[in-house]
Amino acid sequence: MTESTSDQQLLYVNDQLSDEEIQREADLYGPLTDSVRGLIAATLQTEVGESDVRRARALIGEAASLLRAKAIPGPYGVRWGASGRKRGWGNAADGLRNAVAPPLNIRTDPDGRARTDFHLGPQYEGPAGLVHGGVSALILDQVLGDAAVAGGTPGMTGTLTLRYRRPTPLGDLYAEARVDRVEGVKTIVVGHISGSDGICVEAEGVFILPRWAREAIAEQNASTAG
Amino acid sequence: MTESTSDQQLLYVNDQLSDEEIQREADLYGPLTDSVRGLIAATLQTEVGESDVRRARALIGEAASLLRAKAIPGPYGVRWGASGRKRGWGNAADGLRNAVAPPLNIRTDPDGRARTDFHLGPQYEGPAGLVHGGVSALILDQVLGDAAVAGGTPGMTGTLTLRYRRPTPLGDLYAEARVDRVEGVKTIVVGHISGSDGICVEAEGVFILPRWAREAIAEQNASTAG
């Protein structure tokens, strides 16, 4: 870790918010993020000419200026409020406030399972008309990691192996994962993405909680309790 | 492949554009995409209140409507013009018109090498302050695939194996890949992402050109020549 102590404090924030205040934030910023997702697709698909593009850029710039008037200076990090529930709203795979992320509503079970129905629009393309192999990797990394968390043995990705069995079509898809076994500090998780024709991509991940992360969590828990 | 013939035609488009016209499109839509990238970060970082968010959403909605007035109906696919050079501008990892993609300027050598300097902002976060493991996978899948193309043996990802050696910090990064060997229809490519402290993520990919893709390419080449 190269962050200084003050950066670390910005990345792990106990903002004291109540569950009601957190819900209000979700209701405020969630639809904003969705509107940006729509704009990303429109930007990719548009065929309008120079004057309309110029006008759109001006509107986008005006919106960004409004939003930047009061903003955090860096990444979102991890925040938690009164109830202690963690929010990773900046997460690239499933962050509520991250327009790069497709809306993933990952459901988990305490026996170490995670699953999600999701939809991938034109901004997730790799080969023509198909999901980018790396986007499948992004979603599987997240779903497998969430299964490890759900099973009580969280970790950062140590290794991730992906087998692409058939092309993954853009559109409605499903992903699931389950903890296969735990070996010391390693949690081995397996999962897949499937479309209407069956399994498209299989994954196996090894999730490890490194020493510095275990120490940071212990410190956080101490400060949450304090 | 489940696409109908008409969908296929929308995904592989010979648009007859000259190199000058293509450059004009890049100059028009590239900066538009960059402005959306800035908006994605501002949306994630903003702390402004309800009235400003409402105003920003209205501006974003107006921009999206302007852009949708004339637009392609689905994914960008692959386009090529008079010179035959392919444009995958909708690509999720390096598409010029895809705001999900960080700007990656991948340079390649005909001996099967690819490399790129790039910058990852707050929208690529996974663990607090760090690059999402799946985003590293997305970038490596693209860079490894481009090395396979550069070496003259392109393919779709068959398997991808990632080893996360140390946390990848957000910010300025570098990725490179090279073809290790070719075995029949399989091209084996290795590569990595590194930051200022050294290699963060290593990858090995097996790229395969499936029969249907070989046939589609043959058909395209026939129609390009015709």
Side-chain angles (χ1 to χ4, degrees):
Chain A
M1 298 291 284
T2 55
E3 288 84 5
S4 71
T5 306
S6 67
D7 284 344
Q8 285 276 7
Q9 285 168 346
L10 287 176
L11 293 173
Y12 295 98
V13 179
N14 177 350
D15 55 19
Q16 315 273 356
L17 296 186
S18 68
D19 282 354
E20 291 70 31
E21 288 169 314
I22 291 169
Q23 188 56 48
R24 255 201 309 279
E25 278 209 359
D27 292 343
L28 182 61
Y29 297 119
L32 172 67
T33 310
D34 282 337
S35 72
V36 178
R37 291 186 177 113
L39 180 65
I40 291 168
T43 296
L44 192 158
Q45 296 176 307
T46 193
E47 293 187 305
V48 299
E50 209 175 321
S51 65
D52 285 332
V53 169
R54 198 181 312 117
R55 176 85 187 113
R57 279 183 61 190
L59 293 164
I60 293 163
E62 197 181 334
S65 293
L66 266 173
L67 297 174
R68 287 191 194 109
K70 188 180 175 213
I72 60 170
Y76 189 86
V78 176
R79 284 147 197 265
W80 66 97
S83 74
R85 195 159 40 93
K86 301 286 190 294
R87 308 194 302 282
W89 284 356
N91 187 290
D94 73 346
L96 175 98
R97 296 191 51 176
N98 191 333
V100 163
L104 290 184
N105 178 18
I106 301 176
R107 293 154 290 158
T108 58
D109 295 326
D111 63 347
R113 285 171 191 270
R115 61 192 187 288
T116 180
D117 292 291
F118 60 105
H119 180 91
L120 295 183
Q123 64 266 46
Y124 301 104
E125 188 178 41
L130 302 172
V131 175
H132 196 295
V135 169
S136 296
L138 171 61
I139 287 164
L140 283 164
D141 184 41
Q142 185 66 37
V143 176
L144 268 61
D146 279 13
V149 172
T153 52
M156 283 176 61
T157 319
T159 64
L160 183 66
T161 306
L162 301 138
R163 282 173 296 279
Y164 296 84
R165 289 180 37 173
R166 74 176 84 204
T168 307
L170 291 166
D172 292 324
L173 295 161
Y174 171 77
E176 64 173 40
R178 63 174 172 80
V179 173
D180 185 64
R181 60 195 189 278
V182 176
E183 297 173 354
V185 296
K186 294 183 182 179
T187 304
I188 294 91
V189 187
V190 295
H192 62 258
I193 291 176
S194 54
S196 56
D197 289 341
I199 292 178
C200 304
V201 189
E202 291 175 328
E204 180 177 295
V206 179
F207 294 85
I208 304 167
L209 208 52
R211 182 186 301 273
W212 64 262
R214 292 194 297 262
E215 289 171 358
I217 287 171
E219 223 172 278
Q220 256 183 69
N221 289 344
S223 86
T224 313
Chain B
M1 297 293 283
T2 56
E3 287 85 4
S4 70
T5 306
S6 67
D7 284 344
Q8 286 277 7
Q9 284 169 345
L10 286 174
L11 294 172
Y12 295 98
V13 179
N14 177 351
D15 55 19
Q16 317 271 356
L17 295 186
S18 69
D19 281 353
E20 291 70 30
E21 289 169 314
I22 290 169
Q23 188 57 49
R24 255 203 308 278
E25 277 209 0
D27 292 342
L28 180 62
Y29 297 120
L32 172 67
T33 310
D34 282 336
S35 73
V36 178
R37 291 186 178 112
L39 180 65
I40 291 169
T43 296
L44 192 159
Q45 295 176 308
T46 192
E47 294 187 303
V48 299
E50 209 175 321
S51 64
D52 285 333
V53 169
R54 199 181 311 119
R55 176 85 186 114
R57 279 182 62 190
L59 293 164
I60 292 163
E62 198 180 334
S65 293
L66 266 173
L67 297 174
R68 287 192 193 109
K70 187 179 173 214
I72 59 169
Y76 189 86
V78 176
R79 283 146 199 267
W80 66 98
S83 74
R85 196 159 39 93
K86 300 286 188 294
R87 310 194 300 283
W89 283 357
N91 187 291
D94 73 346
L96 176 98
R97 296 191 52 176
N98 192 334
V100 162
L104 291 185
N105 180 17
I106 301 175
R107 292 155 289 158
T108 58
D109 295 326
D111 63 348
R113 286 172 190 267
R115 60 194 187 287
T116 178
D117 292 291
F118 59 105
H119 180 90
L120 295 183
Q123 64 266 45
Y124 300 104
E125 188 179 39
L130 302 172
V131 176
H132 197 295
V135 169
S136 296
L138 170 62
I139 287 163
L140 283 163
D141 183 42
Q142 185 67 38
V143 176
L144 267 63
D146 279 13
V149 172
T153 52
M156 281 176 62
T157 318
T159 64
L160 183 66
T161 306
L162 302 139
R163 281 173 296 278
Y164 296 86
R165 289 181 36 173
R166 74 177 84 203
T168 308
L170 290 166
D172 291 324
L173 295 161
Y174 172 77
E176 64 173 40
R178 63 174 173 81
V179 172
D180 185 65
R181 59 195 190 280
V182 177
E183 296 174 355
V185 295
K186 295 182 181 179
T187 305
I188 295 91
V189 187
V190 296
H192 62 257
I193 290 175
S194 55
S196 55
D197 289 341
I199 292 179
C200 304
V201 189
E202 291 175 329
E204 180 177 296
V206 178
F207 294 84
I208 304 166
L209 209 53
R211 182 187 302 273
W212 63 261
R214 291 194 297 262
E215 288 171 359
I217 287 170
E219 224 172 277
Q220 256 182 69
N221 289 344
S223 86
T224 312

